[in-house]
Amino acid sequence: MDDARIYIGDNVMLGPNVSLMATNHPLIAAERTSMRYPDGHVSMSEYAEDIHIGNDVWIAANAVVLGGVTIGDGAVIGA
């Protein structure tokens, strides 16, 4: 989901099925559905935050990295 910037450092390894999900929705239901139109149509609100991945990082299979996360140099992220 690419509604925000994703910064990836040098020598980063991504396992299969890794998801970088910069886009998210509000947790409070009333905020998610607050965009109501006069014709009755409801649009879901969303927001996006950057993801920063440092150098020499390994993100293992099936991990999900959410928006607003910063992963430091040399980190290993597992499921």
Side-chain angles (χ1 to χ4, degrees):
M1 301 290 292
D2 62 354
D3 291 327
R5 291 188 171 110
I6 298 174
Y7 300 93
I8 300 176
D10 295 328
N11 304 312
V12 172
M13 298 188 306
L14 300 175
N17 299 314
V18 168
S19 297
L20 304 175
M21 308 297 287
T23 302
N24 207 340
H25 299 279
L27 295 177
I28 299 170
E31 292 176 7
R32 280 194 304 273
T33 60
S34 63
M35 299 173 63
R36 297 180 186 273
Y37 294 92
D39 65 0
H41 172 78
V42 175
S43 179
M44 297 293 191
S45 62
E46 65 181 29
Y47 61 92
E49 298 177 280
D50 294 346
I51 295 172
H52 295 264
I53 300 172
N55 299 315
D56 304 309
V57 170
W58 171 28
I59 303 177
N62 299 309
V64 178
V65 180
L66 300 177
V69 168
T70 296
I71 299 172
D73 293 343
V76 176
I77 307 298

